Amino acid sequence: MRSDTVTKGKQQAPHRSLFHALGLTEEEMQRPLVGIVSSYNEIVPGHMNLDKIVNAVKQGVAMAGGTPIVFPAIAVCDGIAMGHIGMKYSLVTRDLIADSTEAMAMAHQFDALVMVPNCDKNVPGLLMAAARINVPTVFVSGGPMLAGHVKGQKRSLSSMFEAVGANAAGTITDEELCEFENKVCPTCGSCSGMYTANSMNCLTEVLGMGLRGNGTIPAVYSERIRLAKHAGMKVMEMLERDIRPRDIMTKEAILNALTVDMALGCSTNSMLHLPAIAHEIGMDFEIDFANGISEKTPNLCHLAPAGPTYMEDLNEAGGVYAVMNELNKKGLLHTECMTATGKTVGENIKDAVNKNPEVIRPIDNPYTPTGGLAVLKGNLAPDGSVVKRSAVVDEMLVHEGPARVFDCEEDAIAAIKGGKIVEGDVVVIRYEGPKGGPGMREMLNPTSAIAGMGLGSSVALITDGRFSGASRGASIGHVSPEAAVGGPIALVEEGDIIKIDIPNLKLELDVSEEELSKRKEAWTPREPKVTTGYLARYASMVTSGNRGAILEVPKQV
């Protein structure tokens, strides 16, 4: 056991004295030490119930003969951080979480881990940490929020942001806005649509690191408490069988995750997180993989914001395993992959049933024959950009219009709400990438304002930043190279014609190469927006969006 390093032998007597100080008995020190990584806090609605999940995990570990020991991980609520300086601190926490969890696990020599995340960045951050630490590990999330109800319709956080735009446009009253405010987020849990948190929790199931239902069982269901107990018991089985994260998170498992991503219509943020997780297992993940997989993977689900169904509906329809079983009917998955259940993917999904073909379309009747995400390239995004194709209305799949250029999110929002953006425009928000932001802010406020003001079927938005899973419409993000390093998006001028062709995977600036060369020669880097603290260090190390915004040590000159 790894924990023998701190619990066995005379040389470890000082270590044991500190365990005694914790109140551990000799019997507990003789058992495997299992770290429970708790993301519980009182500021994130998706995390306020994690104390109950953690207690259930501890019971499961103890029942199976282990000694559970809890330590924390941070988490930011993207919704609360949205639209101000706080959003610069969202994506960057992914790496803080991975680094700090690695430090705690290695410093204290845990034999196994159970990760208890829920929201956007701490799920991938803990997956990255699991790959690094590589001791037997199981994930159990806090679960999704139930949908709210306003005027007899199910609603969610994306409805709330769009209601603000509708109020600004005068189409709903202040009283109606207040009703949305009080009803769209009715319970604890990760927000109820297929946003980033739920996307990553579902993909954790697909990767094989979480048990069945990890992504879909609602946070308020007692079934999730039982799931947490089983996760605690299962990690002890994994420890006995020596099944480790790198045995589970293989290249084939990553490709499975990308395939199911396409079928579910997950958040575009998965195209930041899957490359980062792949990097931790030594896989060179090119985002172009997405188009090859999308070409053969049908889109089976239209969960909010793409459609009127929610995570609770997906759960009742059979969950992630039912989606996987549909895909497997056409041989689209690597079914030999090992999982945290101790069984292969094929063994896990063989009896899964699609209980609602309106929520999970059968494989022979998909929403579209191609997947929910697409990577666009062209002279505006030579290294790629990402769009949630399943959330784009048909009339915007091909679009061209004049660029309306903004160098930060706030200026764009002011123009949108001020009525300065009109039908046909292409809003460009730049210097919001991983380095330029720094931190690659989500653009939910501007996309929601566009939708709320009735422009969702006529205005596109392009950015080197990123989007919330709650964004919908012709929203193209992760434009690489970003403006801060002199990418072509930095060279766009007001009124330039931009051509978007999602079916043909093209994003083009209708400006001659000669003119672009002149603009490039005249371009000079901007002064960094932040020069101190963690964000400055992050900006000095972060790579572009097309590489997953991973951190690399700067090369010595």
Side-chain angles (χ1 to χ4, degrees):
M1 288 290 175
R2 181 182 293 216
S3 62
D4 289 354
T5 308
V6 293
T7 60
K8 300 289 195 301
K10 292 182 179 179
Q11 288 296 320
Q12 279 65 48
H15 304 75
R16 288 194 299 275
S17 71
L18 294 168
F19 282 115
H20 287 308
L22 289 169
L24 266 64
T25 65
E26 294 287 352
E27 293 82 0
E28 287 174 303
M29 281 186 268
Q30 295 303 312
R31 297 175 176 181
L33 302 185
V34 180
I36 315 297
V37 186
S38 171
S39 300
Y40 169 77
N41 63 49
E42 295 183 343
I43 188 62
V44 184
H47 292 238
M48 61 183 284
N49 65 320
L50 294 191
D51 54 342
K52 296 176 178 60
I53 303 296
V54 167
N55 284 335
V57 171
K58 290 174 68 177
Q59 291 178 52
V61 169
M63 284 190 290
T67 298
I69 301 175
V70 179
F71 66 89
I74 64 168
V76 162
C77 177
D78 277 25
I80 295 174
M82 193 70 65
H84 56 89
I85 191 173
M87 184 43 68
K88 294 180 184 289
Y89 286 90
S90 170
L91 178 61
V92 306
T93 64
R94 184 188 71 184
D95 297 273
L96 276 177
I97 291 160
D99 293 348
S100 59
T101 303
E102 175 193 359
M104 287 292 288
M106 298 303 293
H108 302 103
Q109 293 292 283
F110 289 104
D111 297 303
L113 298 167
V114 180
M115 306 292 197
V116 187
N118 209 31
C119 289
D120 295 29
K121 309 310 170 302
N122 78 324
V123 180
L126 291 178
L127 285 165
M128 291 162 66
R132 289 184 201 171
I133 301 160
N134 202 37
V135 298
T137 303
V138 177
F139 277 65
V140 56
S141 75
M145 184 183 291
L146 294 177
H149 292 80
V150 180
K151 295 184 177 7
Q153 290 185 311
K154 285 186 177 180
R155 299 290 189 174
S156 63
L157 185 65
S158 55
S159 312
M160 183 70 251
F161 277 90
E162 290 179 16
V164 174
N167 179 257
T171 57
I172 68 171
T173 65
D174 289 352
E175 290 74 18
E176 288 172 314
L177 181 65
C178 186
E179 183 179 7
F180 272 89
E181 179 182 332
N182 283 286
K183 292 183 176 179
V184 296
C185 296
T187 71
C188 62
S190 47
C191 296
S192 55
M194 188 54 80
Y195 311 145
T196 305
N198 292 325
S199 295
M200 293 309 302
N201 281 321
C202 287
L203 296 185
T204 299
E205 265 190 76
V206 182
L207 285 168
M209 293 298 294
L211 305 183
R212 182 175 189 170
N214 178 69
T216 61
I217 298 170
V220 295
Y221 283 14
S222 296
E223 184 182 358
R224 184 155 289 275
I225 299 296
R226 299 196 297 272
L227 179 73
K229 291 176 182 176
H230 283 130
M233 290 185 271
K234 188 59 68 174
V235 81
M236 296 304 296
E237 180 186 323
M238 293 177 69
L239 180 61
E240 183 178 347
R241 295 178 58 184
D242 195 30
I243 300 173
R244 299 168 181 252
R246 287 184 212 160
D247 300 324
I248 295 171
M249 289 192 286
T250 61
K251 176 180 178 180
E252 290 74 22
I254 296 286
L255 295 178
N256 279 348
L258 190 51
T259 300
V260 178
D261 187 331
M262 294 297 169
L264 285 172
C266 290
S267 164
T268 53
N269 282 313
S270 64
M271 293 302 292
L272 285 173
H273 301 321
L274 287 177
I277 296 162
H279 176 75
E280 296 293 344
I281 66 166
M283 176 185 173
D284 186 16
F285 187 111
E286 295 289 338
I287 63 170
D288 287 5
F289 287 155
N291 289 337
I293 289 179
S294 178
E295 188 175 341
K296 60 184 181 182
T297 306
N299 177 225
L300 304 181
C301 299
H302 267 191
L303 294 139
T309 54
Y310 293 81
M311 295 305 297
E312 62 204 65
D313 302 311
L314 179 60
N315 187 63
E316 294 301 319
V320 174
Y321 278 19
V323 175
M324 294 174 74
N325 201 28
E326 288 289 346
L327 294 172
N328 198 42
K329 291 175 182 177
K330 287 197 173 179
L332 295 175
L333 297 177
H334 296 276
T335 55
E336 74 286 355
C337 294
M338 178 52 64
T339 73
T341 66
K343 299 177 181 179
T344 65
V345 166
E347 291 172 316
N348 285 341
I349 68 174
K350 64 183 175 64
D351 296 324
V353 176
N354 180 357
K355 300 175 183 177
N356 189 340
E358 295 301 314
V359 175
I360 304 171
R361 288 282 186 93
I363 193 74
D364 57 0
N365 182 34
Y367 282 101
T368 58
T370 54
L373 299 180
V375 174
L376 313 184
K377 285 190 171 183
N379 68 350
L380 186 52
D383 293 338
S385 60
V386 181
V387 63
K388 189 171 183 175
R389 174 164 44 190
S390 60
V392 180
V393 294
D394 288 345
E395 53 265 42
M396 289 298 290
L397 290 171
V398 177
H399 178 78
E400 66 176 79
R404 305 298 308 279
V405 183
F406 305 92
D407 287 351
C408 68
E409 177 190 7
E410 289 82 359
D411 290 350
I413 292 170
I416 296 165
K417 291 187 175 179
K420 296 179 181 178
I421 302 301
V422 299
E423 290 186 9
D425 283 349
V426 179
V427 176
V428 176
I429 305 177
R430 61 191 180 189
Y431 294 100
E432 290 284 10
K435 284 185 181 293
M440 204 177 186
R441 289 196 288 179
E442 289 184 343
M443 301 293 154
L444 179 56
N445 273 345
T447 59
S448 298
I450 287 170
M453 296 188 75
L455 298 171
S457 60
S458 60
V459 169
L461 194 154
I462 296 172
T463 181
D464 54 6
R466 61 194 178 92
F467 295 107
S468 165
S471 291
R472 63 186 176 97
S475 305
I476 301 168
H478 307 196
V479 171
S480 302
E482 63 174 290
V485 298
I489 192 171
L491 311 179
V492 180
E493 295 183 357
E494 186 81 7
D496 285 347
I497 299 300
I498 292 176
K499 297 181 176 181
I500 300 164
D501 187 345
I502 295 173
N504 289 303
L505 309 173
K506 293 289 186 183
L507 182 61
E508 298 281 348
L509 182 63
D510 193 15
V511 174
S512 70
E513 288 302 313
E514 293 78 11
E515 174 62 19
L516 285 177
S517 294
K518 288 179 184 177
R519 295 182 187 180
K520 178 69 174 177
E521 288 177 13
W523 178 83
T524 55
R526 301 289 179 92
E527 288 294 319
K529 294 178 184 176
V530 180
T531 57
T532 60
Y534 177 57
L535 287 179
R537 295 197 302 277
Y538 180 88
S540 72
M541 299 173 68
V542 70
T543 62
S544 62
N546 69 299
R547 296 186 59 201
I550 60 172
L551 300 186
E552 287 185 337
V553 177
K555 293 179 180 179
Q556 298 297 319
V557 179

